[in-house]
Amino acid sequence: MATPPEEDSLESRINKATNPLNKETDWESIKAFCEQLNNELEGPQLATRLLAHKIQSPQEWEAMQALMVLETCMKNCGKRFHSEVGKFRFLNELIKVVSPKYLGTRAPELVKKKVLEVMYSWTVCLPEETKISDAYQMLKKQGIVKQ
Amino acid sequence: PTSFHDDSDEDLLNV
């Protein structure tokens, strides 16, 4: 049995925050995850990897909670996190969720819709992260984003 | 903590 992540690691916090068994949104764990990722040297890099994995979950509630964590962190965690999310290394993982060539045919509709919504919101409120609009334009060109 | 600024990245996925 894989050793469980230590109690207050980013991994254990994201597991709690996105647990499909949660009856409702676990804002405590979301807040703790955001604070922790800011206090660790490699926090933003690890956080985006963990979030990408959860967002790609076939379980709708787990993926939707992960998107809520992502949105909360984008509002509260500042520049270091913004620049990690603004890299193709992370954006490509979101693109896979909506692209029929990758996970798009299996991903829940609600999750795909939410991914496109948050990406669009970032093109508006984070214009300096130019790769985000590059990725969004490409999705529009491929007809994945309806005009 | 100021992390060293790592700008490494991948190319945009083409779909």
Side-chain angles (χ1 to χ4, degrees):
Chain A
M1 209 272 277
T3 53
E6 313 121 24
E7 200 32 51
D8 54 7
S9 68
L10 274 176
E11 200 180 345
S12 74
R13 292 200 194 286
I14 194 68
N15 288 342
K16 255 190 271 163
T18 60
N19 187 337
L21 303 177
N22 287 342
K23 293 285 171 289
E24 55 193 16
T25 306
D26 178 350
W27 291 109
E28 269 321 300
S29 294
I30 292 176
K31 212 156 57 81
F33 181 81
C34 287
E35 276 154 22
Q36 178 130 357
L37 82 85
N38 253 346
N39 301 331
E40 288 184 11
L41 207 54
E42 300 290 324
Q45 290 88 332
L46 175 57
T48 46
R49 271 202 308 277
L50 292 168
L51 282 167
H53 178 65
K54 293 290 186 184
I55 291 167
Q56 292 177 344
S57 163
Q59 294 189 69
E60 183 171 295
W61 181 223
E62 182 171 37
M64 289 303 285
Q65 289 180 108
L67 285 164
M68 269 186 255
V69 176
L70 176 59
E71 280 189 291
T72 307
C73 290
M74 283 300 266
K75 290 191 183 96
N76 300 301
C77 293
K79 185 81 189 82
R80 279 195 318 139
F81 186 71
H82 290 166
S83 65
E84 270 318 302
V85 167
K87 286 182 178 174
F88 290 137
R89 184 183 305 137
F90 179 72
L91 294 167
N92 285 343
E93 300 306 317
L94 297 185
I95 289 167
K96 285 176 188 168
V97 173
V98 295
S99 160
K101 256 171 74 176
Y102 291 88
L103 306 168
T105 47
R106 296 192 302 278
E109 282 311 313
L110 201 59
V111 173
K112 290 190 283 189
K113 187 167 163 294
K114 184 72 174 174
V115 165
L116 294 176
E117 272 167 26
V118 294
M119 278 182 83
Y120 175 71
S121 73
W122 298 338
T123 62
V124 174
C125 56
L126 287 171
E128 69 280 7
E129 298 294 346
T130 55
K131 290 180 179 178
I132 295 176
S133 13
D134 295 345
Y136 194 77
Q137 288 313 320
M138 184 270 295
L139 289 174
K140 270 168 82 169
K141 227 172 30 183
Q142 298 300 333
I144 290 173
V145 172
K146 303 294 173 281
Q147 292 306 341
Chain B
T2 52
S3 75
F4 68 91
H5 197 58
D6 157 23
D7 287 333
S8 67
D9 196 1
E10 300 168 2
D11 295 333
L12 175 59
L13 201 64
N14 61 61
V15 292

